[in-house]
Amino acid sequence: MRFKYADWIRRDADEVVAVFGQAKLVKRLDGRTELRGGTVQDRLAAKEWIALFWHEAVLEK
């Protein structure tokens, strides 16, 4: 049975958690975390932020 009235609750896109320059930290629909784009410095800043504020996040390679 499908609930047509509750379809708006479901997310249809990945969620951008934070942006570091050109790098985007994204939480995918399946629960995995991914770091997309950016320079080496942007990615390093994102990894430092993850280490400080989001310990349970594991980046996909």
Side-chain angles (χ1 to χ4, degrees):
M1 175 188 230
R2 184 169 176 166
F3 298 103
K4 292 182 182 178
Y5 299 109
D7 283 348
W8 62 272
I9 297 172
R10 196 181 81 224
R11 289 185 282 177
D12 290 333
D14 297 337
E15 178 183 358
V16 176
V17 176
V19 177
F20 303 91
Q22 295 296 320
K24 292 181 181 178
L25 183 60
V26 177
K27 183 175 181 184
R28 297 180 5 189
L29 291 176
D30 59 2
R32 296 178 183 173
T33 307
E34 186 177 337
L35 188 57
R36 298 180 183 166
T39 63
V40 174
Q41 291 83 10
D42 295 340
R43 296 176 73 80
L44 181 62
K47 289 178 183 178
E48 290 176 359
W49 184 87
I50 291 169
L52 291 173
F53 299 109
W54 198 12
H55 305 150
E56 62 273 5
V58 176
L59 292 177
E60 293 291 315
K61 293 187 180 187

